[in-house]
Amino acid sequence: MLNFELYNPVNLVFGKGQIAKLSKLIPQNAKVLLAYGGGSIFKNGIHTQVTEALKGYDITEFGGIEPNPRYETLMKAVELIREKKLDFILAVGGGSVIDGVKFISAAVNFEGDPVDILIKRIRIEGNAMPFGTVLTLPATGSEMNSGAVVTIEKTQEKLSFGGPAVFPQFSICDPTVIASLPKRQLQNGVIDAYTHVMEQYLTYPHDALLQDRIAESILQTLIEIGPDVAENPTDYKLASNFMWCCTMALNGLIQKGVPTDWATHMIGHELTALYEIDHARTLAIIGPNLYRVMFDTKKDKLAQYGRRVWGITTTDTEEAATQAIEKTVQFFHTMGMETKISNYTSDYNKTADFIVKRFEERGWKGLGERQNVTPEKVKAIVEMSY
């Protein structure tokens, strides 16, 4: 097992009716920026619940954070905080709103040009504004981790950053909030969480036995409940297990002591930046083809995954690994995912060349757990995904 440090200071407040606890979680004298997305929280009653819970607080609202949060939009919130001298942020939304608030938190007191946080991937270790979250869309696990992804609209780049100073102080996770979510968003959430686990699990065999078992249990649970929760989000058993799976998939626990990949995400981010394809759907496009192109170095873990998660019985490693990929694609299709770029855009012929050029400009010469996903491999993966 690899050496590791596990630090996660988030106070996770889980279950029905927990939004009412906001006044116990935010300091009474706080001047709060209430940040949210496109307005769905007004339709589903969550905005009312939040504002009722914060009666008496000095609140400034900031809406319009995009599904892939834009640097340009977030900087408007930074300016608003500075102008009004606000001192706490409450993110009410899904992963995009929470990621956006992490950037706002990091940027308010940042010395220098805040865009450097993204371009230079500056680790945020202090001087960030405190914030909490009310999760409305399970998917990214952003409510219990210190990473975020932000899009720079001007350059069409989707870039990640993080650091220990951008953990939420608390996150309220009430599974009943998913009842009004569109089916597409629920499907996306399941596949986002599933691929988060795969990025930390599907590498090569190692001796972190417990991490593997926890990862496999999250995958098995998502397979069991995924199709049903997309159809029946008012079922509390399904909703609560779905929300907890999404949080557990990326709260840091299963990545400790193990090699991790993340190449699927790096490539998928480019598809979102180029074509506005939903994040989860880019992962469904890229993931299986990355496993195919990197088959020789991943086949042993693919076979383990196939046997333990999908119940594949063949003793032949390559056959088990091949079947595991096909089972994964079938599950993605069951969850409403299209798995080709051409399902989303007709203008895809130069996509591979564009992504490879961009990676080379950033100096990304080798991605993945062995740093062996070279530009040539990236090109092959993307072209296989057309």
Side-chain angles (χ1 to χ4, degrees), residues 42 197 281:
F42 292 93
V197 177
R281 290 166 195 265

Side-chain angles (χ1 to χ4, degrees), residues 30-265:
K31 297 175 71 175
V32 180
L33 181 77
L34 175 58
Y36 48 85
S40 62
I41 63 168
F42 292 93
K43 297 173 187 172
N44 59 21
I46 294 172
H47 181 271
T48 300
Q49 289 184 57
V50 169
T51 51
E52 283 288 322
L54 293 179
K55 269 188 175 172
Y57 280 82
D58 182 336
I59 296 175
T60 300
E61 298 197 18
F62 183 85
I65 296 176
E66 301 89 351
N68 294 292
R70 301 296 196 273
Y71 164 79
E72 292 82 358
T73 301
L74 303 175
M75 285 305 298
K76 293 176 184 175
V78 171
E79 291 164 12
L80 185 61
I81 287 171
R82 290 170 176 168
E83 175 194 332
K84 295 206 166 192
K85 295 183 169 56
L86 309 181
D87 52 22
F88 195 92
I89 314 169
L90 181 65
V92 182
S96 292
V97 171
I98 297 171
D99 279 13
V101 164
K102 288 177 181 178
F103 179 81
I104 295 166
S105 164
V108 168
N109 300 316
F110 185 74
E111 295 180 8
D113 188 343
V115 78
D116 287 344
I117 295 170
L118 303 173
I119 294 172
K120 298 179 181 178
R121 295 188 76 178
I122 293 172
R123 182 175 164 85
I124 308 301
E125 298 186 347
N127 211 25
M129 178 170 284
F131 69 96
T133 87
V134 175
L135 182 66
T136 64
L137 172 58
T140 69
S142 193
E143 67 277 3
M144 201 178 178
N145 66 41
S146 62
V149 182
V150 170
T151 297
I152 304 174
E153 191 163 20
K154 183 178 178 182
T155 57
Q156 284 190 301
E157 290 180 281
K158 188 172 178 180
L159 301 171
S160 60
F161 78 99
V166 287
F167 276 106
Q169 287 196 346
F170 65 83
S171 286
I172 292 177
C173 298
D174 181 344
T176 64
V177 303
I178 77 163
S180 61
L181 290 175
K183 182 177 178 180
R184 183 185 182 95
Q185 288 187 329
L186 294 164
Q187 292 171 327
N188 285 352
V190 170
I191 299 307
D192 201 359
Y194 197 93
T195 312
H196 285 160
V197 177
M198 295 288 270
E199 294 276 42
Q200 300 163 91
Y201 166 78
L202 197 65
T203 55
Y204 51 82
H206 51 74
D207 59 0
L209 306 181
L210 179 59
Q211 288 90 319
D212 271 7
R213 293 293 189 187
I214 296 171
E216 289 156 0
S217 70
I218 299 170
L219 296 174
Q220 288 172 317
T221 306
L222 288 168
I223 291 165
E224 179 181 341
I225 67 171
D228 290 336
V229 78
E231 299 293 341
N232 305 297
T234 58
D235 183 312
Y236 190 75
K237 175 184 174 181
L238 296 172
S240 56
N241 281 284
F242 167 48
M243 185 172 271
W244 187 223
C245 279
C246 291
T247 300
M248 283 293 290
L250 201 57
N251 65 3
L253 184 62
I254 63 172
Q255 73 175 21
K256 298 305 178 184
V258 304
T260 59
D261 187 344
W262 298 109
T264 295
H265 271 69

